[in-house]
Amino acid sequence: RKEVEQDPGPFNVPEGATVAFNCTYSNSASQSFFWYRQDCRKEPKLLMSVYSSGNEDGRFTAQLNRASQYISLLIRDSKLSDSATYLCVVRYSGAGSYQLTFGKGTKLSVIP
Amino acid sequence: ETGVTQTPRHLVMGMTNKKSLKCEQHLGHNAMYWYKQSAKKPLELMFVYNFKEQTENNSVPSRFSPECPNSSHLFLHLHTLQPEDSALYLCASSQEGQGIGEQYFGPGTRLTVT
């Protein structure tokens, strides 16, 4: 069974804090990895793709460990606007088809 | 942001009604998707269309019927739904064959079945 597991959360952190989310996936043939954010009652929006060498976008850093089947997202200097649910997403391609598998998400609340 | 649009945004229907959800993508993508998001559950992929051909049907009941007339439009026809079908239905698109296949979502249709 292809599954994506995330920290259950919720995470309640003060403004300016650093927070890390973890995610594991079960399908070793997974090929692409993403973090999406979803605000309450809105659609998921792509936050960043995750590359094998790790990548950074401003205050956000994503890491991938294929051997451990583990993905992480680090948010530095948290802002109130970072409050959302963060979804770990894994893409599997094979036999002419491809699917994204979503984790349940981790809710982040940044507190003034 | 109007890359992927969906109509209607909200829909209330009885179990004997027939309705359709519409999705349109303006990103020039070649693949489109329907997802279901229920409370406290992860997004569930329902259907995948690649170049207008259906490539995935994840054991979705036949009361949900997709239609993809071209690579920019996707419909989900609904009939004789059950109350447990109440959920947020999300459409997404991606460009397959190039890049890593990130998907972009529409705002969703919030469906309530009474």
Side-chain angles (χ1 to χ4, degrees):
Chain A
R1 177 172 170 80
K2 307 179 185 68
E3 289 187 345
V4 176
E5 302 288 338
Q6 292 187 242
D7 284 347
F11 284 57
N12 299 312
V13 303
E15 270 186 291
T18 295
V19 61
F21 301 140
N22 303 316
C23 170
T24 58
Y25 59 96
S26 60
N27 187 346
S28 60
S30 299
Q31 297 164 324
S32 305
F33 309 89
F34 311 92
W35 283 101
Y36 280 73
R37 69 170 279 169
Q38 186 172 22
D39 293 278
C40 187
R41 302 183 74 81
K42 296 287 186 72
E43 74 273 23
K45 292 188 177 179
L46 179 66
L47 178 65
M48 57 195 304
S49 305
V50 186
Y51 300 111
S52 297
S53 56
N55 49 299
E56 186 175 307
D57 183 1
R59 298 180 294 108
F60 299 85
T61 301
Q63 297 281 348
L64 168 64
N65 185 323
R66 285 187 183 270
S68 302
Q69 296 180 201
Y70 170 90
I71 307 160
S72 66
L73 176 69
L74 184 75
I75 306 176
R76 291 181 299 278
D77 189 24
S78 299
K79 311 291 185 191
L80 295 176
S81 57
D82 294 334
S83 298
T85 297
Y86 290 82
L87 306 172
C88 177
V89 183
V90 173
R91 174 187 162 101
Y92 167 78
S93 302
S97 69
Y98 36 84
Q99 293 197 24
L100 290 191
T101 302
F102 286 74
K104 288 186 177 181
T106 302
K107 186 174 181 180
L108 171 66
S109 294
V110 181
I111 304 163
Chain B
E1 297 176 13
T2 57
V4 182
T5 57
Q6 289 186 243
T7 55
R9 296 292 304 276
H10 300 270
L11 178 62
V12 179
M13 60 186 288
M15 289 190 283
T16 58
N17 292 159
K18 289 184 180 181
K19 297 287 184 183
S20 295
L21 309 185
K22 179 183 175 181
C23 175
E24 183 174 0
Q25 60 96 0
H26 310 272
L27 301 170
H29 288 165
N30 56 17
M32 297 186 75
Y33 311 80
W34 280 117
Y35 287 88
K36 175 183 179 182
Q37 188 173 35
S38 305
K40 300 189 186 301
K41 294 177 71 174
L43 267 75
E44 300 170 63
L45 179 65
M46 300 175 72
F47 302 104
V48 180
Y49 277 83
N50 191 8
F51 292 101
K52 304 185 298 178
E53 299 297 322
Q54 187 180 132
T55 57
E56 291 286 336
N57 175 342
N58 278 5
S59 303
V60 180
S62 60
R63 58 186 183 268
F64 295 92
S65 174
E67 178 190 0
C68 188
N70 54 61
S71 58
S72 299
H73 294 85
L74 187 63
F75 295 89
L76 188 62
H77 304 299
L78 316 171
H79 64 98
T80 59
L81 295 191
Q82 304 299 312
E84 60 265 28
D85 296 322
S86 298
L88 179 67
Y89 288 85
L90 291 158
C91 173
S93 71
S94 69
Q95 183 63 22
E96 295 303 317
Q98 301 173 16
I100 58 174
E102 57 269 35
Q103 294 183 10
Y104 296 88
F105 287 82
T109 295
R110 190 161 296 280
L111 174 67
T112 303
V113 181
T114 60

